[in-house]
Amino acid sequence: MLTVTPRFSATHIDEIPRDLQPLAQTSMTLARVLAGRGVQDVANLDTAFNKMLPANSLTGITKAVALLDKAIDTQQKILIVGDFDCDGATSTALMVRVLREMGAQVEFLVPDRFKYGYGLTPEIVALGIETYDPNVIVTVDNGISSHAGVELAKAKGLTVIITDHHLTTQAAPNADAVVNPNQLGCAFASKSLVGVGVAFYVLGNLAKVRRQANKSTTQVSRYIDLVALGTVADVGVLDQNNRILVHQGIQAIKQGRCCVGILALLEQASRQAADITAQDFGFILGPRINAAGRMDSMRIGIDCLLTDDWGEAQRLAHQLDKLNQERRQVEQGMRQQADSVLTTLENPSEQNSVNQVTHPKRSIILYQDEWHQGVIGIVAGRLKESYHVPAIVFAPADTALIEDDDAIKGSARSIEGIHIRDAIESVAQTYPELISHFGGHAMAAGLTIKRKNFEPFCKAFDEVIAAVADEVFAETLYSDGELTAGEFTVDFVDSLQTLAIWGHGFVPPIFDGVFVVQDYRVLKERHLKLWLSYPDVPFTIEAIWFNADFDAIALSAINRSVSKVHLLYELEKNLFNEQTKLQLRVKKGVLL
């Protein structure tokens, strides 16, 4: 049997929080799911705009709005400096659209990750001045650590407004205004806003100020689709404030009130806007936008979100889809290489280069000279999921420069219980010569080191991870319990999907149970399709297990219609040949 931990254990209505008991009378399972995520009252699920946190507790927002208001009135040239991921793309598109509608002179610049790296660097400031000659620079989804870039911009006489959400333990740069819920001293109640959420608050407040002064303005909520997309794609924690943003964005897209670029991207994925879910932002739209920054230039993705021409949107969406296919191929090759390196490292005598260093028990840190820096974050995430340890994957900053003193860039992903940015900062504080730059969050971070410092960094990181308690590395499998026979229906899936916005920090419902294997099939040598029976369910239940663990379920040992499996799974709907069926998406499983 799988060892699962109940997210919330309750078998009687009296064990359910009082304000959830009316729901429990209809469905104990739904009430148990909510209680397991800390919901005490269905009112916590309210996703109306008026339930959002007020903007006035965001430090710096009043000053930022005043500066933008003046810049619009005096026709100062504004340059938006974004980031090369989906959050940065949606933040940039939102800023450009809204400010232009207010009458501002606006251009945007996104650093090429392969030339300039992340943030408002002095090089980007110089490029921005040379190309656009701005009066005002506004950062979105970056800037909180850009001290040198801000100083250069100020020295050149520019006004600098930083809007960001990344963590920092230092004082903010000397900008004219800094808006970041995670800056020191900010009292904003939610620290989970992503970059586009911060931009939305700033622009919404600006629109309010200009409306009250009878100045040209616009309705910022028209672009809530961009906010929802960026929030989910950047894996923002779905507290109530973020759930409101995502829910409102989903409703806008379903009703066709969205950027035509989003509709074109959905068309490329053969998805209907009316059926969109929060998961589609993370698995369908986000990867296609991100592919631009990973494989080429994020300007393609931003242009797709900015255009109002359907033909142009289709052309750009097709280009993004091709880039995403290329990204998948590169990722698959890198993942195969990574698995090969890890297999080789199980036999230390076969280690032969700096490119093959890892700590397989408590962390995975890998580098190869030929790896693509645009995909290292995805590969790190896959390794983290497979091995349940922090993973850092490095690639050359420039594949033509792979000498010892040349830079390599790493992308880190972590597990619950290990704050990866703080772990990297600990290395930087103890060994300041090892890390050139770093930044990020609890679960994801980025850093730059010299190639010659790869092995010393691995050892230093291992010292930090060695102090982590052993139980952190024991993966806990949470379950919302077993379903009744009557809950294996498409209608029950619909009730789950409409109950709340699910995602990071408000995890989708996941159940477990014992099934009889009626039949199975291996797909593409990696995935497992199962046909199952369950007590009192009068039909065969279909299940899919992507990247199946064939060690846990040895196919040669399965006796059809007899063998039982214990599965941990999510419920979903599968549309095939215009017929919608219930399907289980297996997360873990074991043959009994």
Side-chain angles (χ1 to χ4, degrees):
M1 299 284 285
L2 291 172
T3 300
V4 298
T5 299
R7 203 173 288 277
F8 186 86
S9 182
T11 58
H12 191 273
I13 193 169
D14 291 340
E15 301 173 276
I16 297 293
R18 180 178 299 175
D19 290 327
L20 290 181
Q21 289 181 6
L23 175 63
Q25 292 175 351
T26 303
S27 172
M28 274 289 290
T29 300
L30 296 182
R32 197 171 62 231
V33 164
L34 292 179
R37 284 147 186 81
V39 176
Q40 297 293 312
D41 186 346
V42 291
N44 300 142
L45 302 178
D46 195 333
T47 51
F49 266 130
N50 62 11
K51 297 298 181 181
M52 288 187 63
L53 294 169
N56 55 14
S57 60
L58 266 171
T59 299
I61 193 168
T62 301
K63 184 66 180 296
V65 165
L67 291 170
L68 287 171
D69 186 38
K70 178 182 177 182
I72 297 171
D73 290 345
T74 58
Q75 285 297 283
Q76 297 178 52
K77 290 184 285 186
I78 301 172
L79 177 63
I80 309 300
V81 177
D83 186 21
F84 37 69
D85 66 1
C86 189
D87 186 17
T90 52
S91 302
T92 302
L94 178 68
M95 274 281 182
V96 171
R97 278 185 173 275
V98 170
L99 290 177
R100 282 178 178 170
E101 289 181 10
M102 290 180 175
Q105 293 190 55
V106 187
E107 298 291 344
F108 71 90
L109 177 64
V110 179
D112 184 325
R113 83 158 72 216
F114 306 107
K115 292 181 180 178
Y116 299 103
Y118 167 81
L120 187 68
T121 61
E123 293 80 7
I124 284 300
V125 171
L127 179 63
I129 292 173
E130 178 184 353
T131 308
Y132 298 106
D133 188 28
N135 307 110
V136 181
I137 286 180
V138 181
T139 71
V140 289
D141 192 31
N142 75 93
I144 195 62
S145 300
S146 300
H147 294 266
V150 170
E151 290 301 327
L152 176 60
K154 296 288 291 178
K156 296 293 185 179
L158 276 64
T159 298
V160 181
I161 302 169
I162 290 174
T163 72
D164 198 357
H165 70 115
H166 290 92
L167 302 178
T168 180
T169 58
Q170 301 177 0
N174 185 33
D176 295 275
V178 178
V179 187
N180 180 346
N182 289 301
Q183 68 178 301
L184 301 180
C186 183
F188 191 72
S190 170
K191 304 301 181 183
S192 300
L193 279 180
V194 302
V196 71
V198 177
F200 181 73
Y201 264 92
V202 171
L203 293 169
N205 207 246
L206 175 63
K208 178 181 178 181
V209 167
R210 293 184 65 80
R211 190 175 301 112
Q212 291 173 341
N214 293 318
K215 296 178 181 179
S216 57
T217 187
T218 189
Q219 185 179 357
V220 182
S221 61
R222 288 176 55 198
Y223 301 112
I224 192 65
D225 54 317
L226 295 174
V227 185
L229 170 56
T231 298
V232 176
D234 209 50
V235 201
V237 172
L238 293 184
D239 59 10
Q240 185 173 11
N241 210 57
N242 275 343
R243 292 200 303 273
I244 292 170
L245 295 173
V246 175
H247 170 79
Q248 293 292 339
I250 288 173
Q251 296 309 306
I253 294 172
K254 284 185 173 182
Q255 296 166 18
R257 296 182 289 107
C258 62
C259 301
V260 295
I262 286 180
L263 295 177
L265 287 167
L266 287 171
E267 180 184 67
Q268 281 294 320
S270 300
R271 297 283 297 193
Q272 298 296 319
D275 299 324
I276 194 170
T277 67
Q279 285 69 34
D280 292 331
F281 290 139
F283 294 103
I284 292 176
L285 297 175
R288 285 172 168 79
I289 296 290
N290 276 325
R294 295 185 187 282
M295 310 305 295
D296 195 321
S297 167
M298 184 46 85
R299 181 168 283 272
I300 303 169
I302 296 171
D303 285 342
C304 185
L305 298 175
L306 283 176
T307 185
D308 292 320
D309 180 84
W310 176 243
E312 178 69 359
Q314 286 181 306
R315 183 187 70 80
L316 291 166
H318 178 67
Q319 192 173 352
L320 290 170
D321 192 62
K322 288 180 64 177
L323 287 171
N324 193 45
Q325 292 175 27
E326 180 185 345
R327 186 271 304 170
R328 286 178 177 173
Q329 292 175 349
V330 172
E331 176 199 338
Q332 184 175 357
M334 285 175 59
R335 178 59 199 270
Q336 289 173 347
Q337 284 182 290
D339 287 339
S340 177
V341 170
L342 292 173
T343 300
T344 300
L345 287 169
E346 293 178 0
N347 182 354
S349 65
E350 295 184 23
Q351 295 184 33
N352 55 26
S353 80
V354 70
N355 292 345
Q356 298 182 348
V357 175
T358 185
H359 306 288
K361 290 185 178 179
R362 284 180 162 246
S363 67
I364 293 172
I365 311 177
L366 298 174
Y367 167 76
Q368 296 280 290
D369 282 335
E370 69 274 17
W371 278 356
H372 193 298
Q373 67 165 289
V375 187
I376 53 178
I378 299 176
V379 176
R382 301 279 191 256
L383 292 171
K384 181 264 294 188
E385 291 293 332
S386 296
Y387 294 92
H388 193 66
V389 296
I392 308 177
V393 178
F394 286 88
D398 184 337
T399 53
L401 301 173
I402 53 173
E403 300 300 322
D404 282 351
D405 281 328
D406 292 324
I408 61 175
K409 295 189 175 183
S411 191
R413 298 293 184 269
S414 194
I415 59 176
E416 293 289 343
I418 298 179
H419 193 300
I420 195 68
R421 183 207 167 276
D422 288 357
I424 294 170
E425 183 177 49
S426 180
V427 173
Q429 290 173 342
T430 307
Y431 304 97
E433 74 282 2
L434 291 183
I435 302 176
S436 304
H437 308 285
F438 73 93
H441 309 287
M443 304 301 289
L447 69 158
T448 301
I449 65 176
K450 289 185 176 180
R451 186 178 182 276
K452 67 181 180 183
N453 287 335
F454 178 71
E455 283 194 70
F457 171 78
C458 291
K459 293 176 181 178
F461 188 81
D462 196 33
E463 291 174 7
V464 175
I465 299 301
V468 177
D470 289 343
E471 53 264 28
V472 171
F473 300 93
E475 184 176 11
T476 302
L477 302 178
Y478 289 102
S479 171
D480 291 300
E482 298 185 15
L483 294 180
T484 65
E487 290 169 330
F488 285 94
T489 65
V490 170
D491 286 343
F492 186 71
V493 177
D494 288 335
S495 67
L496 288 172
Q497 291 181 348
T498 57
L499 184 65
I501 298 296
W502 309 103
H504 181 57
F506 205 76
V507 295
I510 188 165
F511 307 99
D512 75 287
V514 175
F515 301 82
V516 174
V517 179
Q518 298 295 330
D519 201 359
Y520 67 87
R521 183 184 305 159
V522 177
L523 308 177
K524 298 183 179 179
E525 299 182 353
R526 295 184 298 130
H527 314 308
L528 184 60
K529 179 78 173 182
L530 294 163
W531 287 265
L532 309 166
S533 60
Y534 191 82
D536 298 324
V537 175
F539 55 86
T540 300
I541 301 170
E542 296 185 9
I544 185 70
W545 189 356
F546 293 110
N547 299 304
D549 182 353
F550 291 108
D551 291 330
I553 295 187
L555 300 182
S556 60
I558 291 180
N559 185 358
R560 289 177 172 84
S561 301
V562 175
S563 294
K564 294 183 178 180
V565 288
H566 186 193
L567 302 178
L568 186 69
Y569 61 91
E570 295 178 355
L571 290 176
E572 62 183 13
K573 294 186 294 185
N574 182 32
L575 178 62
F576 184 71
N577 286 338
E578 299 184 354
Q579 185 177 11
T580 301
K581 288 185 177 181
L582 172 79
Q583 179 173 266
L584 313 187
R585 182 183 287 261
V586 179
K587 313 303 285 187
K588 296 283 184 179
V590 64
L591 185 65
L592 300 180

